[in-house]
Amino acid sequence: VQLQASGGGLVQTGGSLRLSCVISGNYRAIYEMAWYRQAPGQQRELVASISTAGSTTYEDSVKGRFTISIDNSGKSVNLQMNSLKPEDAAVYYCNAYIQTPRLIRSTIWGRGTQVTVSS
């Protein structure tokens, strides 16, 4: 199972970016998908998560600015980021909590995508 993230880039303060992450491979079910971020010298932190039932959570600093969603296929998780601030700059990683064909629960990580916010 693989996660392929895209959509990072350079944006000015106040601008917007949309990150997407597509899951592929052999799995039985997806329980939850999420976006994390890691700035230089900082620990990786949860930005937003969404269950396949649609329940969402957000890190306090992004509430009202970021929106996480799963597309209709159920295979892509998106993160719409508005009103970006310099402190949002980081490498963003997508994450999926899945059930493998052998009924084992497993966490999958994608490669990161860089988000840079200029002041």
Side-chain angles (χ1 to χ4, degrees):
V1 179
Q2 291 186 331
L3 294 171
Q4 181 65 51
S6 61
L10 171 64
V11 65
Q12 289 186 332
T13 297
S16 299
L17 282 174
R18 183 177 178 86
L19 305 183
S20 293
C21 181
V22 179
I23 188 169
S24 62
N26 194 16
Y27 55 91
R28 187 177 178 88
I30 300 173
Y31 298 110
E32 184 176 273
M33 299 185 82
W35 286 95
Y36 286 72
R37 66 186 179 188
Q38 187 169 20
Q42 303 293 321
Q43 289 189 334
R44 190 172 298 187
E45 64 175 358
L46 175 66
V47 177
S49 67
I50 183 168
S51 71
T52 49
S55 176
T56 59
T57 60
Y58 294 93
E59 196 271 328
D60 285 346
S61 70
V62 308
K63 287 180 180 177
R65 300 188 297 122
F66 290 11
T67 302
I68 190 170
S69 62
I70 294 179
D71 76 350
N72 290 335
S73 72
K75 295 184 177 183
S76 178
V77 60
N78 304 305
L79 185 68
Q80 179 65 42
M81 305 186 294
N82 299 327
S83 302
L84 282 160
K85 304 175 181 180
E87 51 263 43
D88 294 318
V91 178
Y92 283 69
Y93 298 89
C94 62
N95 164 289
Y97 184 44
I98 67 168
Q99 185 182 61
T100 70
R102 292 190 174 186
L103 308 182
I104 297 171
R105 298 192 179 197
S106 180
T107 297
I108 307 298
W109 289 94
R111 291 186 177 183
T113 184
Q114 178 72 50
V115 171
T116 303
V117 184
S118 64
S119 57

